[in-house]
Amino acid sequence: MLYRTVAPGEMMSDDAAVEQLRAQVDALYRAESRHVLATLIRLLKDFDLAEEALHEAFTAAVQQWPQDGIPANPRAWLVSTGRFKAIDVMRRRVRFDASLTEVAEHLYHATSDPAEYDDEHLEDDRLRLIYTCCHPALSPEAQVAMTLREVCGLTTEEIARAFLISPPTVAQRIVRAKAKIREARIPYQVPSPSELPERLDAVLRVVYLVFNEGYSASSGTSLTRADLSSEAIRLGRLLLELLQEPEVMGLLALMLLHESRRTARTSATGELVLLDQQDRSLWNCDLIEHGVTLVEQALSSRRFGPYTIQAAIAAVHAESPTASETDWAQIVALYGLLIQADPSPVIELNRAVAVAMRDGPLAGLELIDAILARGELRNYYLAHSARADFCRRLGRTEEAHASYQRALNLTQQEPERRFLERRLDELK
Amino acid sequence: MQYMLMCCIDEYAWDTLPDPQKDTIMREYGALIQDLVKSGQFRGGGQLHPTAAATTLRMSRGKLVFTDGPFAETKEQLGGYHLIECHDLDEAMAIAARIPTLSAGGAIEVRPVAVPDCGPR
C-alpha cells in the first residue's frame, strides 16, 4: 500500500491519511523532541515542566494536525504550543500551591517574541542543554545520567541497563540533579569564553566515558555494549554540528576509529583479539575514512589537544594494511606529543608499548619498570600484562609468568581473564 | 539570590604556613572583599577565630550540654564565611574561585541561602 507524504498545509480526509500523519509525527518526535525540549527548558526555566509541556505539545499535534495539516514550521509550533500548555500545567499546580500563582501569571504575560523561535536561537538551546547537563557542580554520574536522559532521550531503564545499575538508582540521580540545578540555580547558558575550554572538556569527558562504557564493559562477560557507543557517537556528531572545535572533531574521530574495529576486536566465541592479530578486512572502511578526514581537519587547526592526538594514533593503525607495516616511529612521536598535552602514567605505558615495537622489547621493559618503580600503575592490569609480554619476547619466562599472574589478579573482565590465562598456558 | 561561601582549612596547616605567604594571602583576601563591596555583591561575613575559641551546644535528655570546641571534629575546619548576592551558581563559583586560601589547600563550600517565601521544595 502506497502512502503519499502529507505536505504542510494539506488537509486530512481519511483513516489511511491519519495513520500516515501519526507516522510523520512519530518521525518528527524522534528527530525533534530533544531540540524542542532544550528550548522549552530555556523558556519555562524548569526541566520537569518542560518535559510535561513537550508531552502535551506532541499530544496536541496528534489531535490537531489531522484537521489543520502539518504546520510549515513544526518545531516552532511545538515550542509555542508547549509554552501555552505549560501555563495550563502551572494553573493545575497552583490549585495545590498558591506560591506558584505568580510564576504562572508571568508565563502567561511573557511576550511571545518570534525571535525566540528562530533557528539560530534554537541551535543555542541544544548547547545550553548539553553544558547544563555536564555542569561541574553535578557529580560525574549525574552528568552522564542527565546527558543520556535529556540530550539523548534514553529512558531510565535504558540508562540503567547500559551501566548495569538499577533503574531507581538512575531515577534518583536524575531527580537529585534536577533539584540541584533548581535550588543552587545552575544557569541554563553557554559558558563565557573564559570558562569555555574547561566546560567543553567536561562535556567531551562525559561523551568519551559513555563511549568507553559501551566499548569495553568494566566488568562482566561481554566486552562491548554497542548501543552506548553508538549513542556517544551520535552525541559527538551533534556536538560537531553545534561547535566546530578541533577537539570535538578529534573526539568524534577517535570514537569512529575505535568503532571501526568493533567486529574484529572479539572472536566469534567472544575472545579478545589484539590489534596485531585482528582481521583487518573486518575493519569498517567508511568509519575509517570519516575518522581520518576529521583527524586531518583537526590537526590542521593547530589548536588541537589530547583527543585529536589519540585519534591521530588510531588513524596510523587504521591506515596500515597489515600489522607489520605499522609506522611505529610516527606513533612514538605522536605519543610524545600526547604526553606533553596530557602527562599521565597510562599514556607513558602506551608509549612504552610503541617504543618496544620500534626499538625492541628491552627498551619497552626499561620504560615500564621505571613507571612501576615510581609507584605508579601498580594496580593497573595492563601495565603488568604489557610487562609480561616484553619479558616473554625476551625469553624471561619466569618473570613473564609472574607478571601475567599479577595482571590476572587485577582484572574482573571475563574476555581479558581468558586472554591472560591463555598466555600463561602458552608459557608452559 | 544569596549564597554562603564557607571557607574551610586545616588549622594546623594554616598556622604552619610561612608568615610572608600568610601575609600575601590576607592582603589578597582584603582586596577581594573590597571588590565585592564595590560591586554591591557583599552581604556580610568575615574571618572566624580558630576552633579553640568555639563552644558547641546540644540538647541531651532535655538538658543543654556544652562542649569546648567545634560541632564536628574534622580535619578541615570553618575559618571564615561570606554572604554574597549573585544571579546564579556560576557567578558564585567564580567569586569562590578567587578566595586566596585555596592556594594554601583550603576548601570553599558554596551553598544557596533558602528564601523564606518559596523555600526549598
mmCIF file of all heavy atoms in Angstrom, chain A residues 34 37-38 41 47 51 125-153 173-174 177-178 181 186-189 199 202-203 206 235:
data_model
loop_
_atom_site.group_PDB
_atom_site.id
_atom_site.type_symbol
_atom_site.label_atom_id
_atom_site.label_comp_id
_atom_site.label_asym_id
_atom_site.label_seq_id
_atom_site.Cartn_x
_atom_site.Cartn_y
_atom_site.Cartn_z
ATOM 1 N N ARG A 34 14.094 16.325 21.294
ATOM 2 C CA ARG A 34 15.159 16.797 22.192
ATOM 3 C C ARG A 34 15.424 18.275 21.961
ATOM 4 O O ARG A 34 15.748 19.027 22.895
ATOM 5 C CB ARG A 34 16.448 16.006 21.932
ATOM 6 C CG ARG A 34 16.312 14.511 22.081
ATOM 7 C CD ARG A 34 16.030 14.127 23.511
ATOM 8 N NE ARG A 34 14.630 13.882 23.763
ATOM 9 C CZ ARG A 34 14.060 13.929 24.976
ATOM 10 N NH1 ARG A 34 14.770 14.219 26.027
ATOM 11 N NH2 ARG A 34 12.787 13.677 25.103
ATOM 12 N N LEU A 37 12.617 20.246 23.447
ATOM 13 C CA LEU A 37 12.788 20.231 24.911
ATOM 14 C C LEU A 37 13.810 21.263 25.352
ATOM 15 O O LEU A 37 13.582 22.009 26.311
ATOM 16 C CB LEU A 37 13.222 18.834 25.372
ATOM 17 C CG LEU A 37 13.483 18.713 26.880
ATOM 18 C CD1 LEU A 37 12.180 18.802 27.665
ATOM 19 C CD2 LEU A 37 14.196 17.420 27.223
ATOM 20 N N ALA A 38 14.937 21.317 24.636
ATOM 21 C CA ALA A 38 16.008 22.247 25.008
ATOM 22 C C ALA A 38 15.485 23.686 25.033
ATOM 23 O O ALA A 38 15.821 24.470 25.915
ATOM 24 C CB ALA A 38 17.174 22.118 24.047
ATOM 25 N N ILE A 41 12.970 24.221 27.984
ATOM 26 C CA ILE A 41 13.647 24.389 29.275
ATOM 27 C C ILE A 41 14.088 25.841 29.444
ATOM 28 O O ILE A 41 13.969 26.416 30.530
ATOM 29 C CB ILE A 41 14.860 23.445 29.411
ATOM 30 C CG1 ILE A 41 14.400 21.989 29.465
ATOM 31 C CG2 ILE A 41 15.669 23.771 30.663
ATOM 32 C CD1 ILE A 41 15.524 20.976 29.423
ATOM 33 N N PHE A 47 13.097 21.946 34.204
ATOM 34 C CA PHE A 47 13.229 20.712 33.431
ATOM 35 C C PHE A 47 11.925 19.912 33.418
ATOM 36 O O PHE A 47 11.463 19.477 32.363
ATOM 37 C CB PHE A 47 14.349 19.840 34.020
ATOM 38 C CG PHE A 47 15.718 20.170 33.487
ATOM 39 C CD1 PHE A 47 16.373 21.305 33.922
ATOM 40 C CD2 PHE A 47 16.342 19.348 32.564
ATOM 41 C CE1 PHE A 47 17.639 21.616 33.439
ATOM 42 C CE2 PHE A 47 17.615 19.652 32.080
ATOM 43 C CZ PHE A 47 18.265 20.789 32.511
ATOM 44 N N GLU A 51 9.374 19.028 30.296
ATOM 45 C CA GLU A 51 9.071 17.673 29.807
ATOM 46 C C GLU A 51 7.571 17.438 29.710
ATOM 47 O O GLU A 51 7.094 16.842 28.748
ATOM 48 C CB GLU A 51 9.729 16.628 30.722
ATOM 49 C CG GLU A 51 11.197 16.467 30.385
ATOM 50 C CD GLU A 51 11.886 15.363 31.152
ATOM 51 O OE1 GLU A 51 11.276 14.313 31.386
ATOM 52 O OE2 GLU A 51 13.067 15.567 31.525
ATOM 53 N N ASP A 125 20.066 26.575 22.085
ATOM 54 C CA ASP A 125 19.399 25.873 23.178
ATOM 55 C C ASP A 125 19.939 24.462 23.353
ATOM 56 O O ASP A 125 20.044 23.959 24.468
ATOM 57 C CB ASP A 125 17.878 25.833 22.947
ATOM 58 C CG ASP A 125 17.229 27.178 23.208
ATOM 59 O OD1 ASP A 125 17.813 27.968 23.979
ATOM 60 O OD2 ASP A 125 16.151 27.433 22.646
ATOM 61 N N ARG A 126 20.282 23.804 22.258
ATOM 62 C CA ARG A 126 20.813 22.442 22.400
ATOM 63 C C ARG A 126 22.151 22.490 23.127
ATOM 64 O O ARG A 126 22.454 21.658 23.960
ATOM 65 C CB ARG A 126 20.990 21.791 21.028
ATOM 66 C CG ARG A 126 19.714 21.734 20.254
ATOM 67 C CD ARG A 126 19.660 20.564 19.336
ATOM 68 N NE ARG A 126 19.463 19.334 20.088
ATOM 69 C CZ ARG A 126 19.283 18.148 19.504
ATOM 70 N NH1 ARG A 126 19.319 18.038 18.200
ATOM 71 N NH2 ARG A 126 19.105 17.089 20.242
ATOM 72 N N LEU A 127 22.968 23.503 22.827
ATOM 73 C CA LEU A 127 24.247 23.670 23.518
ATOM 74 C C LEU A 127 24.021 23.996 24.980
ATOM 75 O O LEU A 127 24.699 23.454 25.861
ATOM 76 C CB LEU A 127 25.066 24.792 22.873
ATOM 77 C CG LEU A 127 25.921 24.402 21.683
ATOM 78 C CD1 LEU A 127 26.596 25.641 21.113
ATOM 79 C CD2 LEU A 127 26.962 23.373 22.076
ATOM 80 N N ARG A 128 23.043 24.873 25.245
ATOM 81 C CA ARG A 128 22.737 25.220 26.639
ATOM 82 C C ARG A 128 22.413 23.958 27.419
ATOM 83 O O ARG A 128 22.867 23.779 28.544
ATOM 84 C CB ARG A 128 21.529 26.162 26.694
ATOM 85 C CG ARG A 128 21.837 27.559 26.247
ATOM 86 C CD ARG A 128 20.658 28.502 26.489
ATOM 87 N NE ARG A 128 21.025 29.835 26.046
ATOM 88 C CZ ARG A 128 20.611 30.387 24.927
ATOM 89 N NH1 ARG A 128 19.785 29.735 24.133
ATOM 90 N NH2 ARG A 128 21.009 31.585 24.580
ATOM 91 N N LEU A 129 21.606 23.104 26.811
ATOM 92 C CA LEU A 129 21.195 21.882 27.495
ATOM 93 C C LEU A 129 22.393 20.972 27.782
ATOM 94 O O LEU A 129 22.553 20.463 28.895
ATOM 95 C CB LEU A 129 20.153 21.130 26.659
ATOM 96 C CG LEU A 129 19.597 19.842 27.268
ATOM 97 C CD1 LEU A 129 18.981 20.099 28.629
ATOM 98 C CD2 LEU A 129 18.567 19.213 26.341
ATOM 99 N N ILE A 130 23.254 20.809 26.780
ATOM 100 C CA ILE A 130 24.425 19.940 26.968
ATOM 101 C C ILE A 130 25.338 20.491 28.064
ATOM 102 O O ILE A 130 25.773 19.744 28.949
ATOM 103 C CB ILE A 130 25.204 19.802 25.637
ATOM 104 C CG1 ILE A 130 24.386 18.994 24.642
ATOM 105 C CG2 ILE A 130 26.568 19.155 25.853
ATOM 106 C CD1 ILE A 130 24.939 18.990 23.248
ATOM 107 N N TYR A 131 25.627 21.774 28.011
ATOM 108 C CA TYR A 131 26.522 22.358 29.015
ATOM 109 C C TYR A 131 25.926 22.276 30.418
ATOM 110 O O TYR A 131 26.641 22.086 31.401
ATOM 111 C CB TYR A 131 26.857 23.809 28.672
ATOM 112 C CG TYR A 131 27.952 23.956 27.652
ATOM 113 C CD1 TYR A 131 27.711 24.538 26.415
ATOM 114 C CD2 TYR A 131 29.237 23.500 27.924
ATOM 115 C CE1 TYR A 131 28.710 24.671 25.475
ATOM 116 C CE2 TYR A 131 30.249 23.625 26.984
ATOM 117 C CZ TYR A 131 29.980 24.214 25.759
ATOM 118 O OH TYR A 131 30.973 24.329 24.847
ATOM 119 N N THR A 132 24.603 22.442 30.518
ATOM 120 C CA THR A 132 23.961 22.371 31.829
ATOM 121 C C THR A 132 24.009 20.958 32.380
ATOM 122 O O THR A 132 24.303 20.745 33.560
ATOM 123 C CB THR A 132 22.502 22.865 31.744
ATOM 124 O OG1 THR A 132 22.493 24.194 31.236
ATOM 125 C CG2 THR A 132 21.844 22.846 33.112
ATOM 126 N N CYS A 133 23.733 19.974 31.522
ATOM 127 C CA CYS A 133 23.777 18.585 31.979
ATOM 128 C C CYS A 133 25.183 18.188 32.422
ATOM 129 O O CYS A 133 25.342 17.310 33.278
ATOM 130 C CB CYS A 133 23.311 17.634 30.872
ATOM 131 S SG CYS A 133 21.555 17.730 30.539
ATOM 132 N N CYS A 134 26.207 18.818 31.843
ATOM 133 C CA CYS A 134 27.596 18.485 32.164
ATOM 134 C C CYS A 134 28.217 19.529 33.082
ATOM 135 O O CYS A 134 29.438 19.687 33.109
ATOM 136 C CB CYS A 134 28.429 18.363 30.885
ATOM 137 S SG CYS A 134 27.890 17.035 29.816
ATOM 138 N N HIS A 135 27.399 20.241 33.859
ATOM 139 C CA HIS A 135 27.930 21.283 34.743
ATOM 140 C C HIS A 135 28.788 20.671 35.848
ATOM 141 O O HIS A 135 28.422 19.636 36.419
ATOM 142 C CB HIS A 135 26.779 22.059 35.366
ATOM 143 C CG HIS A 135 27.190 23.362 35.961
ATOM 144 N ND1 HIS A 135 27.735 23.452 37.231
ATOM 145 C CD2 HIS A 135 27.157 24.621 35.469
ATOM 146 C CE1 HIS A 135 28.003 24.723 37.489
ATOM 147 N NE2 HIS A 135 27.668 25.455 36.442
ATOM 148 N N PRO A 136 29.939 21.297 36.167
ATOM 149 C CA PRO A 136 30.836 20.717 37.179
ATOM 150 C C PRO A 136 30.235 20.618 38.576
ATOM 151 O O PRO A 136 30.742 19.845 39.399
ATOM 152 C CB PRO A 136 32.038 21.684 37.183
ATOM 153 C CG PRO A 136 31.608 22.884 36.453
ATOM 154 C CD PRO A 136 30.520 22.497 35.531
ATOM 155 N N ALA A 137 29.169 21.359 38.856
ATOM 156 C CA ALA A 137 28.539 21.251 40.172
ATOM 157 C C ALA A 137 27.751 19.957 40.318
ATOM 158 O O ALA A 137 27.352 19.589 41.415
ATOM 159 C CB ALA A 137 27.614 22.441 40.422
ATOM 160 N N LEU A 138 27.514 19.257 39.225
ATOM 161 C CA LEU A 138 26.841 17.956 39.279
ATOM 162 C C LEU A 138 27.904 16.872 39.344
ATOM 163 O O LEU A 138 28.970 17.012 38.755
ATOM 164 C CB LEU A 138 25.972 17.744 38.031
ATOM 165 C CG LEU A 138 24.849 18.746 37.797
ATOM 166 C CD1 LEU A 138 24.171 18.470 36.456
ATOM 167 C CD2 LEU A 138 23.831 18.686 38.922
ATOM 168 N N SER A 139 27.598 15.799 40.048
ATOM 169 C CA SER A 139 28.569 14.703 40.136
ATOM 170 C C SER A 139 28.754 14.084 38.749
ATOM 171 O O SER A 139 27.844 14.156 37.914
ATOM 172 C CB SER A 139 28.076 13.635 41.112
ATOM 173 O OG SER A 139 27.013 12.904 40.539
ATOM 174 N N PRO A 140 29.918 13.444 38.500
ATOM 175 C CA PRO A 140 30.152 12.825 37.190
ATOM 176 C C PRO A 140 29.057 11.834 36.802
ATOM 177 O O PRO A 140 28.624 11.810 35.645
ATOM 178 C CB PRO A 140 31.494 12.109 37.365
ATOM 179 C CG PRO A 140 32.177 12.859 38.456
ATOM 180 C CD PRO A 140 31.094 13.335 39.371
ATOM 181 N N GLU A 141 28.566 11.038 37.789
ATOM 182 C CA GLU A 141 27.498 10.076 37.468
ATOM 183 C C GLU A 141 26.230 10.801 37.066
ATOM 184 O O GLU A 141 25.512 10.367 36.145
ATOM 185 C CB GLU A 141 27.177 9.183 38.678
ATOM 186 C CG GLU A 141 28.321 8.386 39.231
ATOM 187 C CD GLU A 141 29.179 9.190 40.185
ATOM 188 O OE1 GLU A 141 28.653 10.116 40.845
ATOM 189 O OE2 GLU A 141 30.368 8.888 40.260
ATOM 190 N N ALA A 142 25.951 11.918 37.765
ATOM 191 C CA ALA A 142 24.756 12.696 37.444
ATOM 192 C C ALA A 142 24.890 13.324 36.058
ATOM 193 O O ALA A 142 23.916 13.384 35.301
ATOM 194 C CB ALA A 142 24.535 13.777 38.497
ATOM 195 N N GLN A 143 26.094 13.794 35.720
ATOM 196 C CA GLN A 143 26.319 14.393 34.398
ATOM 197 C C GLN A 143 26.005 13.372 33.302
ATOM 198 O O GLN A 143 25.349 13.680 32.310
ATOM 199 C CB GLN A 143 27.767 14.857 34.256
ATOM 200 C CG GLN A 143 28.119 16.075 35.101
ATOM 201 C CD GLN A 143 29.590 16.442 34.981
ATOM 202 O OE1 GLN A 143 30.208 16.185 33.947
ATOM 203 N NE2 GLN A 143 30.154 17.036 36.012
ATOM 204 N N VAL A 144 26.491 12.159 33.487
ATOM 205 C CA VAL A 144 26.259 11.116 32.487
ATOM 206 C C VAL A 144 24.765 10.803 32.388
ATOM 207 O O VAL A 144 24.205 10.752 31.287
ATOM 208 C CB VAL A 144 27.053 9.834 32.830
ATOM 209 C CG1 VAL A 144 26.638 8.679 31.952
ATOM 210 C CG2 VAL A 144 28.545 10.086 32.704
ATOM 211 N N ALA A 145 24.112 10.600 33.540
ATOM 212 C CA ALA A 145 22.689 10.257 33.533
ATOM 213 C C ALA A 145 21.859 11.369 32.904
ATOM 214 O O ALA A 145 20.974 11.113 32.073
ATOM 215 C CB ALA A 145 22.211 9.976 34.963
ATOM 216 N N MET A 146 22.124 12.610 33.271
ATOM 217 C CA MET A 146 21.370 13.754 32.735
ATOM 218 C C MET A 146 21.568 13.876 31.228
ATOM 219 O O MET A 146 20.618 14.112 30.483
ATOM 220 C CB MET A 146 21.809 15.054 33.418
ATOM 221 C CG MET A 146 21.251 15.241 34.806
ATOM 222 S SD MET A 146 19.452 15.499 34.809
ATOM 223 C CE MET A 146 19.353 17.194 34.221
ATOM 224 N N THR A 147 22.813 13.718 30.771
ATOM 225 C CA THR A 147 23.092 13.857 29.343
ATOM 226 C C THR A 147 22.361 12.783 28.556
ATOM 227 O O THR A 147 21.711 13.066 27.542
ATOM 228 C CB THR A 147 24.607 13.783 29.075
ATOM 229 O OG1 THR A 147 25.262 14.804 29.821
ATOM 230 C CG2 THR A 147 24.909 13.961 27.602
ATOM 231 N N LEU A 148 22.439 11.535 29.044
ATOM 232 C CA LEU A 148 21.790 10.452 28.319
ATOM 233 C C LEU A 148 20.271 10.624 28.314
ATOM 234 O O LEU A 148 19.592 10.320 27.341
ATOM 235 C CB LEU A 148 22.182 9.100 28.927
ATOM 236 C CG LEU A 148 23.628 8.672 28.650
ATOM 237 C CD1 LEU A 148 23.960 7.389 29.394
ATOM 238 C CD2 LEU A 148 23.853 8.476 27.157
ATOM 239 N N ARG A 149 19.734 11.144 29.443
ATOM 240 C CA ARG A 149 18.282 11.276 29.563
ATOM 241 C C ARG A 149 17.770 12.496 28.792
ATOM 242 O O ARG A 149 16.861 12.387 27.981
ATOM 243 C CB ARG A 149 17.927 11.424 31.052
ATOM 244 C CG ARG A 149 16.467 11.629 31.354
ATOM 245 C CD ARG A 149 15.732 10.330 31.536
ATOM 246 N NE ARG A 149 14.311 10.572 31.581
ATOM 247 C CZ ARG A 149 13.556 10.772 30.498
ATOM 248 N NH1 ARG A 149 14.103 10.751 29.299
ATOM 249 N NH2 ARG A 149 12.272 11.007 30.622
ATOM 250 N N GLU A 150 18.364 13.657 29.033
ATOM 251 C CA GLU A 150 17.801 14.897 28.493
ATOM 252 C C GLU A 150 18.274 15.194 27.075
ATOM 253 O O GLU A 150 17.525 15.718 26.266
ATOM 254 C CB GLU A 150 18.160 16.076 29.412
ATOM 255 C CG GLU A 150 17.798 15.879 30.878
ATOM 256 C CD GLU A 150 16.310 15.795 31.113
ATOM 257 O OE1 GLU A 150 15.553 16.507 30.422
ATOM 258 O OE2 GLU A 150 15.891 15.002 31.983
ATOM 259 N N VAL A 151 19.554 14.882 26.785
ATOM 260 C CA VAL A 151 20.073 15.213 25.460
ATOM 261 C C VAL A 151 19.807 14.075 24.472
ATOM 262 O O VAL A 151 19.437 14.305 23.323
ATOM 263 C CB VAL A 151 21.590 15.520 25.520
ATOM 264 C CG1 VAL A 151 22.108 15.931 24.159
ATOM 265 C CG2 VAL A 151 21.870 16.608 26.538
ATOM 266 N N CYS A 152 19.999 12.831 24.937
ATOM 267 C CA CYS A 152 19.843 11.688 24.039
ATOM 268 C C CYS A 152 18.437 11.116 24.078
ATOM 269 O O CYS A 152 18.057 10.369 23.178
ATOM 270 C CB CYS A 152 20.855 10.596 24.388
ATOM 271 S SG CYS A 152 22.546 11.150 24.343
ATOM 272 N N GLY A 153 17.681 11.402 25.133
ATOM 273 C CA GLY A 153 16.318 10.893 25.220
ATOM 274 C C GLY A 153 16.220 9.438 25.617
ATOM 275 O O GLY A 153 15.181 8.800 25.439
ATOM 276 N N ARG A 173 19.261 9.639 40.778
ATOM 277 C CA ARG A 173 20.359 10.504 40.362
ATOM 278 C C ARG A 173 19.833 11.693 39.577
ATOM 279 O O ARG A 173 20.265 12.835 39.758
ATOM 280 C CB ARG A 173 21.297 9.702 39.448
ATOM 281 C CG ARG A 173 22.693 9.587 39.947
ATOM 282 C CD ARG A 173 23.473 8.615 39.121
ATOM 283 N NE ARG A 173 24.038 7.592 39.978
ATOM 284 C CZ ARG A 173 24.761 6.572 39.530
ATOM 285 N NH1 ARG A 173 24.986 6.431 38.250
ATOM 286 N NH2 ARG A 173 25.258 5.700 40.366
ATOM 287 N N ILE A 174 18.878 11.412 38.680
ATOM 288 C CA ILE A 174 18.332 12.455 37.820
ATOM 289 C C ILE A 174 17.473 13.419 38.622
ATOM 290 O O ILE A 174 17.565 14.642 38.454
ATOM 291 C CB ILE A 174 17.561 11.819 36.645
ATOM 292 C CG1 ILE A 174 18.554 11.140 35.703
ATOM 293 C CG2 ILE A 174 16.747 12.858 35.890
ATOM 294 C CD1 ILE A 174 17.931 10.336 34.594
ATOM 295 N N ALA A 177 19.794 15.614 40.546
ATOM 296 C CA ALA A 177 20.492 16.565 39.671
ATOM 297 C C ALA A 177 19.567 17.724 39.310
ATOM 298 O O ALA A 177 19.966 18.887 39.358
ATOM 299 C CB ALA A 177 20.973 15.861 38.412
ATOM 300 N N LYS A 178 18.317 17.430 38.972
ATOM 301 C CA LYS A 178 17.382 18.499 38.625
ATOM 302 C C LYS A 178 17.127 19.395 39.833
ATOM 303 O O LYS A 178 17.013 20.613 39.697
ATOM 304 C CB LYS A 178 16.066 17.909 38.123
ATOM 305 C CG LYS A 178 16.181 17.285 36.741
ATOM 306 C CD LYS A 178 14.863 16.672 36.319
ATOM 307 C CE LYS A 178 14.976 16.048 34.944
ATOM 308 N NZ LYS A 178 13.745 15.310 34.586
ATOM 309 N N ILE A 181 20.092 21.663 40.187
ATOM 310 C CA ILE A 181 20.045 22.717 39.166
ATOM 311 C C ILE A 181 19.087 23.812 39.606
ATOM 312 O O ILE A 181 19.377 25.004 39.497
ATOM 313 C CB ILE A 181 19.620 22.135 37.798
ATOM 314 C CG1 ILE A 181 20.721 21.237 37.233
ATOM 315 C CG2 ILE A 181 19.290 23.244 36.807
ATOM 316 C CD1 ILE A 181 20.328 20.439 36.012
ATOM 317 N N ILE A 186 21.779 26.639 38.916
ATOM 318 C CA ILE A 186 22.756 26.434 37.858
ATOM 319 C C ILE A 186 22.172 27.063 36.601
ATOM 320 O O ILE A 186 21.067 26.728 36.200
ATOM 321 C CB ILE A 186 23.022 24.922 37.643
ATOM 322 C CG1 ILE A 186 23.772 24.360 38.856
ATOM 323 C CG2 ILE A 186 23.812 24.683 36.363
ATOM 324 C CD1 ILE A 186 24.024 22.867 38.801
ATOM 325 N N PRO A 187 22.897 28.017 36.004
ATOM 326 C CA PRO A 187 22.289 28.765 34.897
ATOM 327 C C PRO A 187 22.193 27.945 33.619
ATOM 328 O O PRO A 187 23.049 27.110 33.337
ATOM 329 C CB PRO A 187 23.240 29.947 34.703
ATOM 330 C CG PRO A 187 24.557 29.450 35.177
ATOM 331 C CD PRO A 187 24.280 28.460 36.273
ATOM 332 N N TYR A 188 21.129 28.184 32.865
ATOM 333 C CA TYR A 188 20.926 27.475 31.601
ATOM 334 C C TYR A 188 21.549 28.326 30.505
ATOM 335 O O TYR A 188 20.871 29.074 29.812
ATOM 336 C CB TYR A 188 19.420 27.308 31.374
ATOM 337 C CG TYR A 188 19.036 26.351 30.276
ATOM 338 C CD1 TYR A 188 19.295 24.986 30.401
ATOM 339 C CD2 TYR A 188 18.399 26.796 29.125
ATOM 340 C CE1 TYR A 188 18.927 24.102 29.405
ATOM 341 C CE2 TYR A 188 18.033 25.917 28.125
ATOM 342 C CZ TYR A 188 18.293 24.564 28.269
ATOM 343 O OH TYR A 188 17.920 23.687 27.289
ATOM 344 N N GLN A 189 22.860 28.217 30.369
ATOM 345 C CA GLN A 189 23.506 29.059 29.368
ATOM 346 C C GLN A 189 24.787 28.424 28.860
ATOM 347 O O GLN A 189 25.349 27.521 29.482
ATOM 348 C CB GLN A 189 23.813 30.436 29.962
ATOM 349 C CG GLN A 189 24.841 30.397 31.075
ATOM 350 C CD GLN A 189 24.874 31.682 31.893
ATOM 351 O OE1 GLN A 189 23.918 32.458 31.910
ATOM 352 N NE2 GLN A 189 25.981 31.927 32.570
ATOM 353 N N ARG A 199 34.781 23.895 30.429
ATOM 354 C CA ARG A 199 33.414 23.369 30.382
ATOM 355 C C ARG A 199 33.248 22.416 29.210
ATOM 356 O O ARG A 199 32.575 21.403 29.299
ATOM 357 C CB ARG A 199 32.422 24.529 30.295
ATOM 358 C CG ARG A 199 32.419 25.423 31.553
ATOM 359 C CD ARG A 199 31.815 24.705 32.744
ATOM 360 N NE ARG A 199 30.483 24.244 32.467
ATOM 361 C CZ ARG A 199 29.386 24.973 32.578
ATOM 362 N NH1 ARG A 199 29.470 26.213 32.981
ATOM 363 N NH2 ARG A 199 28.205 24.453 32.289
ATOM 364 N N ALA A 202 34.610 19.100 30.079
ATOM 365 C CA ALA A 202 33.691 18.286 30.876
ATOM 366 C C ALA A 202 32.706 17.554 29.971
ATOM 367 O O ALA A 202 32.402 16.382 30.183
ATOM 368 C CB ALA A 202 32.937 19.161 31.871
ATOM 369 N N VAL A 203 32.210 18.251 28.950
ATOM 370 C CA VAL A 203 31.266 17.637 28.012
ATOM 371 C C VAL A 203 31.937 16.487 27.265
ATOM 372 O O VAL A 203 31.397 15.384 27.177
ATOM 373 C CB VAL A 203 30.723 18.678 27.001
ATOM 374 C CG1 VAL A 203 29.881 17.999 25.937
ATOM 375 C CG2 VAL A 203 29.919 19.751 27.710
ATOM 376 N N VAL A 206 32.343 13.427 29.383
ATOM 377 C CA VAL A 206 31.100 12.660 29.535
ATOM 378 C C VAL A 206 30.865 11.799 28.297
ATOM 379 O O VAL A 206 30.582 10.603 28.394
ATOM 380 C CB VAL A 206 29.885 13.589 29.785
ATOM 381 C CG1 VAL A 206 28.586 12.829 29.633
ATOM 382 C CG2 VAL A 206 29.974 14.216 31.163
ATOM 383 N N LEU A 235 26.061 11.652 19.915
ATOM 384 C CA LEU A 235 26.319 12.860 20.696
ATOM 385 C C LEU A 235 27.480 13.640 20.101
ATOM 386 O O LEU A 235 27.443 14.876 20.003
ATOM 387 C CB LEU A 235 26.693 12.496 22.137
ATOM 388 C CG LEU A 235 25.622 12.589 23.199
ATOM 389 C CD1 LEU A 235 26.187 12.059 24.509
ATOM 390 C CD2 LEU A 235 25.149 14.018 23.381
#
